[in-house]
Amino acid sequence: MPPHLPPDSPRRPGFTLIEILAVLAVIAAIVAIGVPAISRVLQSARLRNAEGSASTVKSAIAAYLSRPGSLGTIPVTESALTAAPVLPASEWTGTAALNTAAAAKAATLDNLLLAEGLLERPLSIRIGAQNLAPAPTAVALAWSPASESFTNTTAPTADYSASSRAECALCDGSSNPGTTGAAAGSASCAFNLAGTGPLQAGAHVAYLVLKAVPDSDAYQLALDVNGAPLTVNTAAAPAAADQAVGTVEYAKDAGAGAVDVFYYLASL
């Protein structure tokens, strides 16, 4: 049994309840200040990645159009049609009967530009749902730079429709991707860029599809790219209304907390 300490011996060091509470209060204050700051930094990184991806694809499109022998237009990779030919017949030198809705799901503009050697690596967008790769055994569309066409003789089974990606579609001159109820595919690329009306019918319109972007990120991206005059939502209600004007557009949120964002790139 240890001997008792004499009355004048110093007490063992320790913290009083008040000191512990004070330390906890300081830690809570640091967390309250630091966590939102970290969240803003991470959001800024996601937005810069999306804007950088858009710039990269724009540069690749410009390089494609300026190559010797270029067709002078952006190949169509997206369509709302269900009957063959879904993609323009001029872009298909493979088995024509295979040019169906499955072909449109398997075709993306970024993969086409990658096949042309104009993108250094597959597109990687870190905002919203991350890029989804098709099954390893899925048959992708084969784009031939020599013939400027798809050359498949086997039915494509790859499906990029749930992925963030770049696409090019034919504009119908009326349907806006930032309007609730707009049809998917080629009917939804008539961007109202400046608030003065949609793009011309028949134009080949290239854009990014950013899947399942959180409302707050979608709003901030629209604010950064479109500017305040063309941004219809607010930080307090980031997707309460259709963002149907500007380069970045999205339909209002139906309660999921995330929206699909359409980011205009180019049109011809």
Side-chain angles (χ1 to χ4, degrees), residues 58-71:
K58 283 182 184 179
S59 297
I61 292 172
Y64 175 83
L65 293 172
S66 63
R67 295 181 71 173
S70 169
L71 298 177

Side-chain angles (χ1 to χ4, degrees), residues 76-87 92 95-108 111 134 138-142 150 152 154-162 165 167:
V76 173
T77 58
E78 181 72 295
S79 174
L81 301 176
T82 56
V86 172
L87 303 176
W92 192 271
T95 305
L98 300 179
N99 183 6
T100 63
K105 292 180 179 181
T108 69
N111 282 340
V139 178
L141 276 183
F150 295 105
N152 282 59
T154 302
T157 58
D159 185 354
Y160 291 93
S161 60
R165 62 199 187 277
E167 294 282 11

Side-chain angles (χ1 to χ4, degrees), residues 127-223:
I127 190 171
Q130 298 302 301
N131 301 62
L132 303 175
T137 56
V139 178
L141 276 183
W143 175 261
S144 168
S147 64
E148 298 291 317
S149 65
F150 295 105
T151 59
N152 282 59
T153 56
T154 302
T157 58
D159 185 354
Y160 291 93
S161 60
S163 304
S164 293
R165 62 199 187 277
E167 294 282 11
C168 177
L170 289 174
C171 177
D172 68 355
S174 61
S175 300
N176 190 310
T179 302
T180 302
S186 64
S188 293
C189 63
F191 287 82
N192 188 350
L193 297 176
T196 56
L199 297 175
Q200 183 178 359
H204 290 212
V205 183
Y207 53 93
L208 291 180
V209 183
L210 309 177
K211 300 292 291 184
V213 176
D215 292 349
S216 59
D217 283 4
Y219 161 74
Q220 194 60 51
L221 184 63
L223 188 63

Side-chain angles (χ1 to χ4, degrees), residues 7-50:
D8 57 348
S9 297
R11 292 181 176 274
R12 292 179 179 176
F15 296 102
T16 65
L17 178 59
I18 293 177
E19 290 171 330
I20 292 174
L21 292 176
V23 170
L24 292 177
V26 170
I27 293 174
I30 293 173
V31 170
I33 295 171
V35 169
I38 293 172
S39 178
R40 287 192 295 271
V41 169
L42 293 176
Q43 182 189 60
S44 179
R46 293 192 296 271
L47 300 180
R48 299 295 84 75
N49 172 262

